[in-house]
Amino acid sequence: APSTQTDRVVGHFHIYYDTTGPNSPALIDAGHQRIAGTAEAYVDSVGRILSHVWSFETNGLGYSQPPLGPDSTYQVTILELSPGLYGQTIPDPTPISAGPPPRYATRIEVDNDFRQAQYYSRGISGLEVTLAHEFHHAIQLGAYGFWGDAERYFYEITSTWMEDVVYTDVNDYYQYLSNDLFQTSQFSTPDIRFTKSDQSIEYSRAVWGKFIEKRFSRTMMRRTWEFMRQVGSLDAMDRALGESGSSLRAASLEYAYWNFNTGPAADTSRFYPEGRSYPVMRIASTADYLPPGISLRDSMQAIGSEYHKICIL
């Protein structure tokens, strides 16, 4: 057990925290300042949110439960984390099953107030999406297994998408959607391979989950994870899509088209429900077509896309 001043069990969760000192939790006011004497109220919020997330992700969406500790609870610790670090899911060093893929018992650490400006979503909103995100990592690592760092991108795609499934009004994932070349994102650097992880682009590709959810179903994301008990993410996606008569190849082409239909004029009935809040896709080049033809030279990585505007004169 972590070395904290006190702890409390709420439902399936054993929450460890301090009531005084730098790690003590607190609610924040409208000016993002800590409210004195609210440590227990913050823990109440953690317990309430976690209970909702557990019910939503396991009972509602049908994902398997994560491994629990000897006391049949899941361990969560509240700490003062580095500004901008929402939370983290930490696996035990020894797997509970060798696999492949190996499965791990885990624990979650979560920030104690979400008050600093580095948090896109502050206060309780930040706490909500963090617990939805990190709890799904606990499910992924504990119930389905970890295929290694090369597959990390899909773990983050799913958990970032899950934030918006459980708490759709928070929209914390918007911070990763950019067409600015100084930020790697699905809308600024779509030519980067789909399996890339760089602490930015994989979070922006939460829109893959939004695409799958509307074009097919939420169930397909869960079916992908069920296949990941036997195979890696690309094969798992292909198998899950195959159950609906599609394939990863066909779906990735549709996905590229959906990503061109974003911005203020987006058709939210045909494409992304929140697409008007997404940036417009960065266009790689604009060229005029003159008979008898035009030649363009470009490149992209695996399961990437590029967008060129051709003006027919």
Side-chain angles (χ1 to χ4, degrees):
S3 179
T4 57
Q5 294 169 358
T6 189
D7 59 280
R8 197 199 307 175
V9 174
V10 180
H12 298 286
F13 299 93
H14 200 151
I15 305 168
Y16 293 83
Y17 61 102
D18 289 348
T19 54
T20 60
N23 287 316
S24 64
L27 302 176
I28 60 174
D29 60 22
H32 306 120
Q33 299 302 308
R34 288 166 59 92
I35 303 172
T38 58
E40 296 297 342
Y42 190 92
V43 177
D44 289 342
S45 296
V46 170
R48 172 184 56 81
I49 293 166
L50 282 169
S51 295
H52 173 68
V53 167
W54 176 291
S55 178
F56 198 111
E57 296 185 11
T58 62
N59 301 336
L61 299 180
Y63 289 88
S64 299
Q65 298 176 3
L68 302 179
D71 63 351
S72 297
T73 64
Y74 184 90
Q75 183 185 121
V76 178
T77 306
I78 302 171
L79 297 168
E80 174 68 84
L81 299 178
S82 301
L85 176 59
Y86 286 61
Q88 52 191 355
T89 303
I90 303 170
D92 288 348
T94 303
I96 58 175
S97 172
R103 294 185 298 109
Y104 294 87
T106 60
R107 59 186 175 86
I108 288 173
E109 294 180 348
V110 64
D111 190 66
N112 63 343
D113 51 25
F114 294 91
R115 66 179 178 84
Q116 293 96 339
Q118 290 91 333
Y119 294 106
Y120 185 87
S121 301
R122 298 166 80 171
I124 293 298
S125 293
L127 181 61
E128 288 174 335
V129 292
T130 299
L131 294 177
H133 182 117
E134 300 301 336
F135 182 69
H136 206 269
H137 280 327
I139 289 173
Q140 295 161 8
L141 298 176
Y144 301 96
F146 184 55
W147 284 100
D149 284 343
E151 299 281 305
R152 186 182 296 271
Y153 80 98
F154 193 68
Y155 292 74
E156 297 298 353
I157 283 174
T158 306
S159 278
T160 310
W161 165 73
M162 187 61 69
E163 298 173 13
D164 201 62
V165 174
V166 183
Y167 291 104
T168 188
D169 293 334
V170 177
N171 296 322
D172 188 81
Y173 77 107
Y174 285 4
Q175 67 180 296
Y176 306 111
L177 309 183
S178 172
N179 55 17
D180 186 336
L181 281 173
F182 290 100
Q183 178 180 349
T184 57
S185 169
Q186 181 61 46
F187 297 93
S188 62
T189 52
D191 56 310
I192 291 178
R193 60 184 169 87
F194 187 66
T195 57
K196 176 73 172 179
S197 292
D198 64 3
Q199 298 297 307
S200 177
I201 198 166
E202 66 270 34
Y203 300 105
S204 76
R205 285 172 170 159
V207 295
W208 171 262
K210 303 294 286 183
F211 161 70
I212 292 294
E213 178 181 3
K214 182 167 182 179
R215 173 65 179 83
F216 299 98
S217 68
R218 285 180 179 173
T219 299
M220 185 171 289
M221 289 292 283
R222 193 195 73 229
R223 288 294 292 145
T224 300
W225 279 97
E226 290 168 351
F227 283 120
M228 282 182 69
R229 287 177 166 138
Q230 293 85 40
V231 296
S233 58
L234 296 179
D235 285 338
M237 283 186 274
D238 194 50
R239 293 185 185 188
L241 286 157
E243 293 183 335
S244 293
S246 185
S247 66
L248 181 57
R249 178 186 178 90
S252 65
L253 293 172
E254 288 189 75
Y255 173 64
Y257 183 61
W258 278 49
N259 289 333
F260 187 65
N261 288 275
T262 58
D267 184 342
T268 55
S269 62
R270 293 180 59 199
F271 303 109
Y272 294 114
E274 298 175 353
R276 291 176 185 170
S277 298
Y278 298 176
V280 296
M281 179 60 68
R282 183 184 65 84
I283 304 300
S285 70
T286 300
D288 294 335
Y289 170 79
L290 292 171
I294 186 174
S295 176
L296 296 173
R297 184 178 181 89
D298 207 339
S299 64
M300 61 185 176
Q301 298 175 0
I303 323 180
S305 55
E306 273 282 20
Y307 300 81
H308 297 269
K309 183 176 181 180
I310 310 299
C311 299
I312 300 175
L313 301 179

